[in-house]
Amino acid sequence: GETLAREGVVVVSINYRLGIFGFFAHPALSAESAQHVSGNYGQLDQIAALQWVKRNIERFGGDPHRVTVAGASSGSLDICNLLASPLAAGLFEAAILQSGVCVDSVFPAGKAAEMNGANFARVLGAGSGSDAQSIAALRSMQAGVLLEAAAKDQAVYLEPSVDGWFLKEQPAAAFAGGRQMKIPVLVGSNENEGSIFASPLVGGRSYRPKTVAEYRQWLSRRFTGNAEGVFTAYPARSDSEATEVFNTMDTDFDFGFGARLLASEMAGAHQPAFLYHFTYVGQGVFAPLGAFHSEESMFLSQKFWTSWIHAPDDARLSAAILGYWVSFVKTGNPNTRGLPVWPAYVPEKDLCQMLGKTIKTARVPRSDRFSVFQKRMIERLKGS
């Protein structure tokens, strides 16, 4: 925030409800609601914050007609949902999405989320689980007890849902049909997104297959009938390369594919979309992680982890990212004097801005393999 403020940007950081208090749906909560829905409270908090910004930001030196929302990881996913929500219409004029989109996701319907919430209440001993007495029982419990119980229960659903109010349809369907908000976007992902989740450096414990057999088993669980197609696109020829191939596939599946798809669908709606691919690799203990998830945020904020090993290229890339982002906030276009030209995304050319030790325009890495992820997403949408 301080770094952007020095560049003339008025920064507003908000809090919003998370976990069971942010996304828990339940039949009795829906019955209490004027809209007869529940869940998505965290996203509604964001709507309320943006409404406040529109009403008040001018008093802080901001322009209520030049509001840009920006987020990374789950915050980026939230922004994607806002782009698909009719409740957010007119609340902002541009969006920055770093490593997280909704166009490759399929969310449960509101009723399914409610039933999931009722099951959680039942497991927790809150009466029948589905009626008003169950909600009363949950409300009588200490917040810490609910948080801990929800964190331990792998079955409870605490993510966005298609409730008919905040989200009237699957965001993926809204974007595919051109019904999303029509504004400029800056969107992208990093080359090695998944590495940090399995690294002891930050306590990561995510599963990583160590053999070709384990890799194939993972694909079978996740992609079922399309597993062989994904393996063909991302083949591991020996056990020694299984983990590395998995990391590349998983990064593309969870981040790269979606970022490119969102850029393509915004371009299809005749909106400027600026797609990036972050590739900078740190030194020392960070080198094995590659360009890991959230790394670009350090370069944007110019606030690096205390264990980060600085190199001369750090400052150069940081200044470039800051310059691009600030220009986009102020004008809806990242291009600014002194930086390499960043063309808007055009599906036929399939170009992105590579942000690393060298900044250049290049083809989106491995996009020729993304059709296997597109196929799975379409099949899930049909079944939703």
Side-chain angles (χ1 to χ4, degrees), residues 19-21 24-27 113-130 134-135 138 141 145-158:
I20 191 168
F21 301 115
F24 183 70
H26 190 279
E114 289 177 12
M115 290 302 101
N116 179 275
N119 288 336
F120 173 74
R122 192 176 298 112
V123 169
L124 211 55
S128 68
S130 61
S134 293
I135 287 297
L138 291 177
M141 297 179 186
V145 172
L146 288 173
L147 282 172
E148 185 177 356
K152 289 180 178 179
D153 191 336
Q154 297 297 311
V156 65
Y157 181 81
L158 300 174

PDB file of all heavy atoms in Angstrom, residues 19-21 24-27 113-130 134-135 138 141 145-158:
ATOM      1  N   GLY A  19     -13.816 -18.399   5.874  1.00  0.00           N
ATOM      2  CA  GLY A  19     -14.143 -19.697   6.442  1.00  0.00           C
ATOM      3  C   GLY A  19     -15.620 -19.865   6.745  1.00  0.00           C
ATOM      4  O   GLY A  19     -16.492 -19.439   5.983  1.00  0.00           O
ATOM      5  N   ILE A  20     -15.913 -20.445   7.904  1.00  0.00           N
ATOM      6  CA  ILE A  20     -17.299 -20.730   8.256  1.00  0.00           C
ATOM      7  C   ILE A  20     -18.115 -19.461   8.422  1.00  0.00           C
ATOM      8  O   ILE A  20     -19.328 -19.444   8.194  1.00  0.00           O
ATOM      9  CB  ILE A  20     -17.366 -21.605   9.529  1.00  0.00           C
ATOM     10  CG1 ILE A  20     -18.794 -22.117   9.748  1.00  0.00           C
ATOM     11  CG2 ILE A  20     -16.839 -20.852  10.747  1.00  0.00           C
ATOM     12  CD1 ILE A  20     -18.897 -23.198  10.798  1.00  0.00           C
ATOM     13  N   PHE A  21     -17.469 -18.359   8.787  1.00  0.00           N
ATOM     14  CA  PHE A  21     -18.202 -17.108   8.960  1.00  0.00           C
ATOM     15  C   PHE A  21     -18.350 -16.337   7.645  1.00  0.00           C
ATOM     16  O   PHE A  21     -19.126 -15.399   7.560  1.00  0.00           O
ATOM     17  CB  PHE A  21     -17.503 -16.236   9.999  1.00  0.00           C
ATOM     18  CG  PHE A  21     -17.388 -16.907  11.338  1.00  0.00           C
ATOM     19  CD1 PHE A  21     -16.156 -17.234  11.864  1.00  0.00           C
ATOM     20  CD2 PHE A  21     -18.527 -17.251  12.054  1.00  0.00           C
ATOM     21  CE1 PHE A  21     -16.050 -17.888  13.087  1.00  0.00           C
ATOM     22  CE2 PHE A  21     -18.431 -17.901  13.272  1.00  0.00           C
ATOM     23  CZ  PHE A  21     -17.181 -18.222  13.794  1.00  0.00           C
ATOM     24  N   PHE A  24     -20.401 -20.095   4.898  1.00  0.00           N
ATOM     25  CA  PHE A  24     -21.250 -21.184   5.367  1.00  0.00           C
ATOM     26  C   PHE A  24     -22.703 -20.970   4.927  1.00  0.00           C
ATOM     27  O   PHE A  24     -23.309 -19.936   5.204  1.00  0.00           O
ATOM     28  CB  PHE A  24     -21.173 -21.260   6.890  1.00  0.00           C
ATOM     29  CG  PHE A  24     -21.950 -22.395   7.495  1.00  0.00           C
ATOM     30  CD1 PHE A  24     -21.535 -23.710   7.336  1.00  0.00           C
ATOM     31  CD2 PHE A  24     -23.082 -22.145   8.256  1.00  0.00           C
ATOM     32  CE1 PHE A  24     -22.236 -24.761   7.916  1.00  0.00           C
ATOM     33  CE2 PHE A  24     -23.792 -23.187   8.832  1.00  0.00           C
ATOM     34  CZ  PHE A  24     -23.365 -24.498   8.668  1.00  0.00           C
ATOM     35  N   ALA A  25     -23.248 -21.951   4.253  1.00  0.00           N
ATOM     36  CA  ALA A  25     -24.653 -21.900   3.818  1.00  0.00           C
ATOM     37  C   ALA A  25     -25.464 -22.905   4.634  1.00  0.00           C
ATOM     38  O   ALA A  25     -24.955 -23.949   5.043  1.00  0.00           O
ATOM     39  CB  ALA A  25     -24.766 -22.214   2.329  1.00  0.00           C
ATOM     40  N   HIS A  26     -26.743 -22.581   4.851  1.00  0.00           N
ATOM     41  CA  HIS A  26     -27.594 -23.441   5.677  1.00  0.00           C
ATOM     42  C   HIS A  26     -29.051 -23.104   5.373  1.00  0.00           C
ATOM     43  O   HIS A  26     -29.394 -21.933   5.170  1.00  0.00           O
ATOM     44  CB  HIS A  26     -27.294 -23.189   7.158  1.00  0.00           C
ATOM     45  CG  HIS A  26     -27.932 -24.173   8.085  1.00  0.00           C
ATOM     46  ND1 HIS A  26     -29.255 -24.083   8.477  1.00  0.00           N
ATOM     47  CD2 HIS A  26     -27.427 -25.277   8.713  1.00  0.00           C
ATOM     48  CE1 HIS A  26     -29.536 -25.069   9.303  1.00  0.00           C
ATOM     49  NE2 HIS A  26     -28.455 -25.807   9.468  1.00  0.00           N
ATOM     50  N   PRO A  27     -29.947 -24.095   5.319  1.00  0.00           N
ATOM     51  CA  PRO A  27     -31.357 -23.821   5.003  1.00  0.00           C
ATOM     52  C   PRO A  27     -31.995 -22.778   5.920  1.00  0.00           C
ATOM     53  O   PRO A  27     -32.756 -21.923   5.455  1.00  0.00           O
ATOM     54  CB  PRO A  27     -32.022 -25.186   5.172  1.00  0.00           C
ATOM     55  CG  PRO A  27     -30.931 -26.181   4.980  1.00  0.00           C
ATOM     56  CD  PRO A  27     -29.691 -25.541   5.523  1.00  0.00           C
ATOM     57  N   ALA A 113     -25.027 -26.338  -1.316  1.00  0.00           N
ATOM     58  CA  ALA A 113     -24.206 -25.767  -0.253  1.00  0.00           C
ATOM     59  C   ALA A 113     -24.971 -25.742   1.066  1.00  0.00           C
ATOM     60  O   ALA A 113     -24.404 -25.983   2.141  1.00  0.00           O
ATOM     61  CB  ALA A 113     -23.761 -24.356  -0.641  1.00  0.00           C
ATOM     62  N   GLU A 114     -26.281 -25.464   0.999  1.00  0.00           N
ATOM     63  CA  GLU A 114     -27.114 -25.474   2.211  1.00  0.00           C
ATOM     64  C   GLU A 114     -27.154 -26.870   2.838  1.00  0.00           C
ATOM     65  O   GLU A 114     -27.030 -27.017   4.062  1.00  0.00           O
ATOM     66  CB  GLU A 114     -28.539 -25.034   1.873  1.00  0.00           C
ATOM     67  CG  GLU A 114     -28.685 -23.561   1.545  1.00  0.00           C
ATOM     68  CD  GLU A 114     -30.116 -23.231   1.141  1.00  0.00           C
ATOM     69  OE1 GLU A 114     -30.999 -24.086   1.336  1.00  0.00           O
ATOM     70  OE2 GLU A 114     -30.334 -22.129   0.618  1.00  0.00           O
ATOM     71  N   MET A 115     -27.343 -27.876   2.021  1.00  0.00           N
ATOM     72  CA  MET A 115     -27.393 -29.246   2.538  1.00  0.00           C
ATOM     73  C   MET A 115     -26.054 -29.652   3.138  1.00  0.00           C
ATOM     74  O   MET A 115     -25.990 -30.357   4.157  1.00  0.00           O
ATOM     75  CB  MET A 115     -27.788 -30.209   1.412  1.00  0.00           C
ATOM     76  CG  MET A 115     -29.233 -30.068   0.948  1.00  0.00           C
ATOM     77  SD  MET A 115     -30.427 -30.329   2.320  1.00  0.00           S
ATOM     78  CE  MET A 115     -30.864 -28.621   2.744  1.00  0.00           C
ATOM     79  N   ASN A 116     -24.983 -29.185   2.524  1.00  0.00           N
ATOM     80  CA  ASN A 116     -23.657 -29.454   3.074  1.00  0.00           C
ATOM     81  C   ASN A 116     -23.518 -28.818   4.455  1.00  0.00           C
ATOM     82  O   ASN A 116     -22.994 -29.425   5.392  1.00  0.00           O
ATOM     83  CB  ASN A 116     -22.581 -28.913   2.129  1.00  0.00           C
ATOM     84  CG  ASN A 116     -21.177 -29.138   2.643  1.00  0.00           C
ATOM     85  OD1 ASN A 116     -20.660 -28.346   3.432  1.00  0.00           O
ATOM     86  ND2 ASN A 116     -20.539 -30.209   2.192  1.00  0.00           N
ATOM     87  N   GLY A 117     -24.032 -27.582   4.577  1.00  0.00           N
ATOM     88  CA  GLY A 117     -23.992 -26.901   5.867  1.00  0.00           C
ATOM     89  C   GLY A 117     -24.831 -27.609   6.917  1.00  0.00           C
ATOM     90  O   GLY A 117     -24.447 -27.689   8.093  1.00  0.00           O
ATOM     91  N   ALA A 118     -25.975 -28.125   6.507  1.00  0.00           N
ATOM     92  CA  ALA A 118     -26.833 -28.859   7.436  1.00  0.00           C
ATOM     93  C   ALA A 118     -26.146 -30.132   7.919  1.00  0.00           C
ATOM     94  O   ALA A 118     -26.239 -30.500   9.099  1.00  0.00           O
ATOM     95  CB  ALA A 118     -28.163 -29.192   6.764  1.00  0.00           C
ATOM     96  N   ASN A 119     -25.439 -30.795   7.024  1.00  0.00           N
ATOM     97  CA  ASN A 119     -24.708 -32.000   7.417  1.00  0.00           C
ATOM     98  C   ASN A 119     -23.613 -31.675   8.429  1.00  0.00           C
ATOM     99  O   ASN A 119     -23.405 -32.413   9.399  1.00  0.00           O
ATOM    100  CB  ASN A 119     -24.094 -32.664   6.185  1.00  0.00           C
ATOM    101  CG  ASN A 119     -25.135 -33.323   5.298  1.00  0.00           C
ATOM    102  OD1 ASN A 119     -26.217 -33.688   5.763  1.00  0.00           O
ATOM    103  ND2 ASN A 119     -24.824 -33.467   4.021  1.00  0.00           N
ATOM    104  N   PHE A 120     -22.929 -30.559   8.206  1.00  0.00           N
ATOM    105  CA  PHE A 120     -21.892 -30.145   9.144  1.00  0.00           C
ATOM    106  C   PHE A 120     -22.498 -29.865  10.522  1.00  0.00           C
ATOM    107  O   PHE A 120     -21.949 -30.272  11.548  1.00  0.00           O
ATOM    108  CB  PHE A 120     -21.175 -28.900   8.620  1.00  0.00           C
ATOM    109  CG  PHE A 120     -20.202 -28.297   9.599  1.00  0.00           C
ATOM    110  CD1 PHE A 120     -18.983 -28.898   9.856  1.00  0.00           C
ATOM    111  CD2 PHE A 120     -20.515 -27.118  10.262  1.00  0.00           C
ATOM    112  CE1 PHE A 120     -18.085 -28.339  10.754  1.00  0.00           C
ATOM    113  CE2 PHE A 120     -19.634 -26.551  11.171  1.00  0.00           C
ATOM    114  CZ  PHE A 120     -18.402 -27.165  11.416  1.00  0.00           C
ATOM    115  N   ALA A 121     -23.645 -29.184  10.547  1.00  0.00           N
ATOM    116  CA  ALA A 121     -24.310 -28.878  11.817  1.00  0.00           C
ATOM    117  C   ALA A 121     -24.703 -30.169  12.531  1.00  0.00           C
ATOM    118  O   ALA A 121     -24.571 -30.285  13.760  1.00  0.00           O
ATOM    119  CB  ALA A 121     -25.542 -28.014  11.566  1.00  0.00           C
ATOM    120  N   ARG A 122     -25.171 -31.144  11.766  1.00  0.00           N
ATOM    121  CA  ARG A 122     -25.582 -32.427  12.348  1.00  0.00           C
ATOM    122  C   ARG A 122     -24.374 -33.147  12.959  1.00  0.00           C
ATOM    123  O   ARG A 122     -24.440 -33.666  14.079  1.00  0.00           O
ATOM    124  CB  ARG A 122     -26.236 -33.286  11.275  1.00  0.00           C
ATOM    125  CG  ARG A 122     -26.967 -34.511  11.798  1.00  0.00           C
ATOM    126  CD  ARG A 122     -27.677 -35.243  10.675  1.00  0.00           C
ATOM    127  NE  ARG A 122     -28.700 -34.405  10.050  1.00  0.00           N
ATOM    128  CZ  ARG A 122     -28.632 -33.926   8.806  1.00  0.00           C
ATOM    129  NH1 ARG A 122     -27.601 -34.212   8.035  1.00  0.00           N
ATOM    130  NH2 ARG A 122     -29.595 -33.178   8.307  1.00  0.00           N
ATOM    131  N   VAL A 123     -23.268 -33.160  12.244  1.00  0.00           N
ATOM    132  CA  VAL A 123     -22.050 -33.805  12.742  1.00  0.00           C
ATOM    133  C   VAL A 123     -21.567 -33.114  14.014  1.00  0.00           C
ATOM    134  O   VAL A 123     -21.048 -33.760  14.931  1.00  0.00           O
ATOM    135  CB  VAL A 123     -20.949 -33.762  11.661  1.00  0.00           C
ATOM    136  CG1 VAL A 123     -19.600 -34.173  12.243  1.00  0.00           C
ATOM    137  CG2 VAL A 123     -21.311 -34.671  10.495  1.00  0.00           C
ATOM    138  N   LEU A 124     -21.787 -31.800  14.081  1.00  0.00           N
ATOM    139  CA  LEU A 124     -21.329 -31.039  15.237  1.00  0.00           C
ATOM    140  C   LEU A 124     -22.283 -31.166  16.420  1.00  0.00           C
ATOM    141  O   LEU A 124     -22.043 -30.609  17.492  1.00  0.00           O
ATOM    142  CB  LEU A 124     -21.179 -29.559  14.835  1.00  0.00           C
ATOM    143  CG  LEU A 124     -20.090 -28.750  15.548  1.00  0.00           C
ATOM    144  CD1 LEU A 124     -18.739 -29.421  15.405  1.00  0.00           C
ATOM    145  CD2 LEU A 124     -20.026 -27.329  14.987  1.00  0.00           C
ATOM    146  N   GLY A 125     -23.390 -31.892  16.212  1.00  0.00           N
ATOM    147  CA  GLY A 125     -24.338 -32.116  17.300  1.00  0.00           C
ATOM    148  C   GLY A 125     -25.372 -31.031  17.450  1.00  0.00           C
ATOM    149  O   GLY A 125     -25.984 -30.884  18.521  1.00  0.00           O
ATOM    150  N   ALA A 126     -25.590 -30.263  16.362  1.00  0.00           N
ATOM    151  CA  ALA A 126     -26.566 -29.177  16.410  1.00  0.00           C
ATOM    152  C   ALA A 126     -27.938 -29.679  15.949  1.00  0.00           C
ATOM    153  O   ALA A 126     -28.413 -29.360  14.852  1.00  0.00           O
ATOM    154  CB  ALA A 126     -26.114 -28.001  15.541  1.00  0.00           C
ATOM    155  N   GLY A 127     -28.602 -30.480  16.757  1.00  0.00           N
ATOM    156  CA  GLY A 127     -29.959 -30.944  16.477  1.00  0.00           C
ATOM    157  C   GLY A 127     -30.061 -31.731  15.189  1.00  0.00           C
ATOM    158  O   GLY A 127     -29.177 -32.509  14.832  1.00  0.00           O
ATOM    159  N   SER A 128     -31.150 -31.484  14.475  1.00  0.00           N
ATOM    160  CA  SER A 128     -31.399 -32.202  13.222  1.00  0.00           C
ATOM    161  C   SER A 128     -30.448 -31.772  12.123  1.00  0.00           C
ATOM    162  O   SER A 128     -30.313 -32.439  11.104  1.00  0.00           O
ATOM    163  CB  SER A 128     -32.840 -31.956  12.758  1.00  0.00           C
ATOM    164  OG  SER A 128     -33.005 -30.595  12.364  1.00  0.00           O
ATOM    165  N   GLY A 129     -29.819 -30.611  12.325  1.00  0.00           N
ATOM    166  CA  GLY A 129     -28.857 -30.117  11.351  1.00  0.00           C
ATOM    167  C   GLY A 129     -29.408 -29.123  10.368  1.00  0.00           C
ATOM    168  O   GLY A 129     -28.672 -28.294   9.841  1.00  0.00           O
ATOM    169  N   SER A 130     -30.720 -29.159  10.098  1.00  0.00           N
ATOM    170  CA  SER A 130     -31.258 -28.328   9.016  1.00  0.00           C
ATOM    171  C   SER A 130     -32.242 -27.248   9.450  1.00  0.00           C
ATOM    172  O   SER A 130     -32.590 -26.387   8.654  1.00  0.00           O
ATOM    173  CB  SER A 130     -31.934 -29.216   7.971  1.00  0.00           C
ATOM    174  OG  SER A 130     -33.011 -29.931   8.561  1.00  0.00           O
ATOM    175  N   SER A 134     -31.072 -25.777  14.886  1.00  0.00           N
ATOM    176  CA  SER A 134     -29.679 -26.118  14.597  1.00  0.00           C
ATOM    177  C   SER A 134     -28.829 -24.859  14.512  1.00  0.00           C
ATOM    178  O   SER A 134     -27.707 -24.806  15.028  1.00  0.00           O
ATOM    179  CB  SER A 134     -29.577 -26.899  13.284  1.00  0.00           C
ATOM    180  OG  SER A 134     -30.187 -28.165  13.410  1.00  0.00           O
ATOM    181  N   ILE A 135     -29.366 -23.827  13.841  1.00  0.00           N
ATOM    182  CA  ILE A 135     -28.639 -22.559  13.744  1.00  0.00           C
ATOM    183  C   ILE A 135     -28.494 -21.931  15.125  1.00  0.00           C
ATOM    184  O   ILE A 135     -27.433 -21.392  15.471  1.00  0.00           O
ATOM    185  CB  ILE A 135     -29.347 -21.593  12.781  1.00  0.00           C
ATOM    186  CG1 ILE A 135     -29.135 -22.051  11.339  1.00  0.00           C
ATOM    187  CG2 ILE A 135     -28.842 -20.163  12.943  1.00  0.00           C
ATOM    188  CD1 ILE A 135     -27.681 -22.044  10.883  1.00  0.00           C
ATOM    189  N   LEU A 138     -25.676 -23.656  16.809  1.00  0.00           N
ATOM    190  CA  LEU A 138     -24.381 -23.216  16.284  1.00  0.00           C
ATOM    191  C   LEU A 138     -24.019 -21.833  16.819  1.00  0.00           C
ATOM    192  O   LEU A 138     -22.865 -21.562  17.168  1.00  0.00           O
ATOM    193  CB  LEU A 138     -24.405 -23.198  14.752  1.00  0.00           C
ATOM    194  CG  LEU A 138     -24.488 -24.546  14.034  1.00  0.00           C
ATOM    195  CD1 LEU A 138     -24.577 -24.343  12.534  1.00  0.00           C
ATOM    196  CD2 LEU A 138     -23.287 -25.424  14.373  1.00  0.00           C
ATOM    197  N   MET A 141     -22.404 -21.664  20.219  1.00  0.00           N
ATOM    198  CA  MET A 141     -21.038 -22.171  20.355  1.00  0.00           C
ATOM    199  C   MET A 141     -20.029 -21.040  20.240  1.00  0.00           C
ATOM    200  O   MET A 141     -20.274 -20.028  19.577  1.00  0.00           O
ATOM    201  CB  MET A 141     -20.755 -23.230  19.277  1.00  0.00           C
ATOM    202  CG  MET A 141     -21.630 -24.463  19.374  1.00  0.00           C
ATOM    203  SD  MET A 141     -21.250 -25.661  18.057  1.00  0.00           S
ATOM    204  CE  MET A 141     -22.531 -26.887  18.339  1.00  0.00           C
ATOM    205  N   VAL A 145     -14.470 -22.604  18.626  1.00  0.00           N
ATOM    206  CA  VAL A 145     -14.897 -23.997  18.482  1.00  0.00           C
ATOM    207  C   VAL A 145     -15.376 -24.254  17.054  1.00  0.00           C
ATOM    208  O   VAL A 145     -15.038 -25.269  16.437  1.00  0.00           O
ATOM    209  CB  VAL A 145     -16.014 -24.330  19.490  1.00  0.00           C
ATOM    210  CG1 VAL A 145     -16.610 -25.709  19.211  1.00  0.00           C
ATOM    211  CG2 VAL A 145     -15.471 -24.259  20.912  1.00  0.00           C
ATOM    212  N   LEU A 146     -16.171 -23.327  16.517  1.00  0.00           N
ATOM    213  CA  LEU A 146     -16.672 -23.473  15.150  1.00  0.00           C
ATOM    214  C   LEU A 146     -15.529 -23.437  14.143  1.00  0.00           C
ATOM    215  O   LEU A 146     -15.489 -24.225  13.196  1.00  0.00           O
ATOM    216  CB  LEU A 146     -17.678 -22.363  14.841  1.00  0.00           C
ATOM    217  CG  LEU A 146     -19.039 -22.477  15.524  1.00  0.00           C
ATOM    218  CD1 LEU A 146     -19.874 -21.230  15.261  1.00  0.00           C
ATOM    219  CD2 LEU A 146     -19.780 -23.716  15.038  1.00  0.00           C
ATOM    220  N   LEU A 147     -14.600 -22.504  14.352  1.00  0.00           N
ATOM    221  CA  LEU A 147     -13.468 -22.388  13.430  1.00  0.00           C
ATOM    222  C   LEU A 147     -12.650 -23.679  13.411  1.00  0.00           C
ATOM    223  O   LEU A 147     -12.282 -24.182  12.353  1.00  0.00           O
ATOM    224  CB  LEU A 147     -12.581 -21.212  13.830  1.00  0.00           C
ATOM    225  CG  LEU A 147     -13.063 -19.814  13.453  1.00  0.00           C
ATOM    226  CD1 LEU A 147     -12.176 -18.755  14.094  1.00  0.00           C
ATOM    227  CD2 LEU A 147     -13.069 -19.642  11.936  1.00  0.00           C
ATOM    228  N   GLU A 148     -12.369 -24.203  14.588  1.00  0.00           N
ATOM    229  CA  GLU A 148     -11.557 -25.410  14.678  1.00  0.00           C
ATOM    230  C   GLU A 148     -12.281 -26.610  14.084  1.00  0.00           C
ATOM    231  O   GLU A 148     -11.686 -27.411  13.356  1.00  0.00           O
ATOM    232  CB  GLU A 148     -11.205 -25.685  16.143  1.00  0.00           C
ATOM    233  CG  GLU A 148     -10.265 -26.869  16.320  1.00  0.00           C
ATOM    234  CD  GLU A 148      -9.863 -27.077  17.769  1.00  0.00           C
ATOM    235  OE1 GLU A 148     -10.260 -26.260  18.630  1.00  0.00           O
ATOM    236  OE2 GLU A 148      -9.154 -28.067  18.040  1.00  0.00           O
ATOM    237  N   ALA A 149     -13.574 -26.721  14.360  1.00  0.00           N
ATOM    238  CA  ALA A 149     -14.348 -27.847  13.833  1.00  0.00           C
ATOM    239  C   ALA A 149     -14.411 -27.802  12.309  1.00  0.00           C
ATOM    240  O   ALA A 149     -14.271 -28.827  11.633  1.00  0.00           O
ATOM    241  CB  ALA A 149     -15.757 -27.835  14.422  1.00  0.00           C
ATOM    242  N   ALA A 150     -14.627 -26.605  11.767  1.00  0.00           N
ATOM    243  CA  ALA A 150     -14.703 -26.462  10.309  1.00  0.00           C
ATOM    244  C   ALA A 150     -13.353 -26.750   9.661  1.00  0.00           C
ATOM    245  O   ALA A 150     -13.281 -27.332   8.572  1.00  0.00           O
ATOM    246  CB  ALA A 150     -15.181 -25.063   9.950  1.00  0.00           C
ATOM    247  N   ALA A 151     -12.281 -26.341  10.331  1.00  0.00           N
ATOM    248  CA  ALA A 151     -10.940 -26.564   9.779  1.00  0.00           C
ATOM    249  C   ALA A 151     -10.599 -28.047   9.729  1.00  0.00           C
ATOM    250  O   ALA A 151      -9.887 -28.510   8.825  1.00  0.00           O
ATOM    251  CB  ALA A 151      -9.906 -25.816  10.608  1.00  0.00           C
ATOM    252  N   LYS A 152     -11.116 -28.813  10.675  1.00  0.00           N
ATOM    253  CA  LYS A 152     -10.808 -30.243  10.746  1.00  0.00           C
ATOM    254  C   LYS A 152     -11.710 -31.083   9.840  1.00  0.00           C
ATOM    255  O   LYS A 152     -11.341 -32.190   9.459  1.00  0.00           O
ATOM    256  CB  LYS A 152     -10.950 -30.738  12.190  1.00  0.00           C
ATOM    257  CG  LYS A 152      -9.866 -30.231  13.127  1.00  0.00           C
ATOM    258  CD  LYS A 152     -10.085 -30.784  14.530  1.00  0.00           C
ATOM    259  CE  LYS A 152      -8.978 -30.335  15.477  1.00  0.00           C
ATOM    260  NZ  LYS A 152      -9.200 -30.843  16.860  1.00  0.00           N
ATOM    261  N   ASP A 153     -12.893 -30.563   9.513  1.00  0.00           N
ATOM    262  CA  ASP A 153     -13.864 -31.331   8.741  1.00  0.00           C
ATOM    263  C   ASP A 153     -13.613 -31.134   7.245  1.00  0.00           C
ATOM    264  O   ASP A 153     -13.905 -30.071   6.691  1.00  0.00           O
ATOM    265  CB  ASP A 153     -15.280 -30.889   9.107  1.00  0.00           C
ATOM    266  CG  ASP A 153     -16.344 -31.812   8.549  1.00  0.00           C
ATOM    267  OD1 ASP A 153     -16.075 -32.495   7.544  1.00  0.00           O
ATOM    268  OD2 ASP A 153     -17.456 -31.848   9.107  1.00  0.00           O
ATOM    269  N   GLN A 154     -13.078 -32.157   6.601  1.00  0.00           N
ATOM    270  CA  GLN A 154     -12.767 -32.054   5.182  1.00  0.00           C
ATOM    271  C   GLN A 154     -14.019 -32.015   4.305  1.00  0.00           C
ATOM    272  O   GLN A 154     -13.951 -31.656   3.125  1.00  0.00           O
ATOM    273  CB  GLN A 154     -11.886 -33.233   4.758  1.00  0.00           C
ATOM    274  CG  GLN A 154     -10.534 -33.273   5.444  1.00  0.00           C
ATOM    275  CD  GLN A 154      -9.669 -32.071   5.108  1.00  0.00           C
ATOM    276  OE1 GLN A 154      -9.507 -31.714   3.947  1.00  0.00           O
ATOM    277  NE2 GLN A 154      -9.122 -31.426   6.129  1.00  0.00           N
ATOM    278  N   ALA A 155     -15.167 -32.368   4.867  1.00  0.00           N
ATOM    279  CA  ALA A 155     -16.388 -32.445   4.066  1.00  0.00           C
ATOM    280  C   ALA A 155     -17.151 -31.131   3.999  1.00  0.00           C
ATOM    281  O   ALA A 155     -17.964 -30.934   3.096  1.00  0.00           O
ATOM    282  CB  ALA A 155     -17.311 -33.528   4.625  1.00  0.00           C
ATOM    283  N   VAL A 156     -16.906 -30.220   4.943  1.00  0.00           N
ATOM    284  CA  VAL A 156     -17.672 -28.980   4.957  1.00  0.00           C
ATOM    285  C   VAL A 156     -17.198 -28.070   3.829  1.00  0.00           C
ATOM    286  O   VAL A 156     -16.000 -27.922   3.569  1.00  0.00           O
ATOM    287  CB  VAL A 156     -17.563 -28.267   6.330  1.00  0.00           C
ATOM    288  CG1 VAL A 156     -16.139 -27.816   6.615  1.00  0.00           C
ATOM    289  CG2 VAL A 156     -18.512 -27.073   6.394  1.00  0.00           C
ATOM    290  N   TYR A 157     -18.159 -27.450   3.132  1.00  0.00           N
ATOM    291  CA  TYR A 157     -17.859 -26.597   1.980  1.00  0.00           C
ATOM    292  C   TYR A 157     -17.875 -25.140   2.405  1.00  0.00           C
ATOM    293  O   TYR A 157     -18.897 -24.635   2.879  1.00  0.00           O
ATOM    294  CB  TYR A 157     -18.871 -26.830   0.857  1.00  0.00           C
ATOM    295  CG  TYR A 157     -18.590 -25.993  -0.376  1.00  0.00           C
ATOM    296  CD1 TYR A 157     -17.627 -26.408  -1.297  1.00  0.00           C
ATOM    297  CD2 TYR A 157     -19.246 -24.795  -0.591  1.00  0.00           C
ATOM    298  CE1 TYR A 157     -17.334 -25.638  -2.416  1.00  0.00           C
ATOM    299  CE2 TYR A 157     -18.966 -24.019  -1.711  1.00  0.00           C
ATOM    300  CZ  TYR A 157     -18.008 -24.445  -2.613  1.00  0.00           C
ATOM    301  OH  TYR A 157     -17.718 -23.672  -3.716  1.00  0.00           O
ATOM    302  N   LEU A 158     -16.751 -24.454   2.232  1.00  0.00           N
ATOM    303  CA  LEU A 158     -16.639 -23.066   2.661  1.00  0.00           C
ATOM    304  C   LEU A 158     -16.025 -22.205   1.560  1.00  0.00           C
ATOM    305  O   LEU A 158     -15.050 -21.474   1.760  1.00  0.00           O
ATOM    306  CB  LEU A 158     -15.795 -22.973   3.949  1.00  0.00           C
ATOM    307  CG  LEU A 158     -16.359 -23.742   5.146  1.00  0.00           C
ATOM    308  CD1 LEU A 158     -15.383 -23.718   6.306  1.00  0.00           C
ATOM    309  CD2 LEU A 158     -17.713 -23.166   5.570  1.00  0.00           C
TER     310      LEU A 158
END
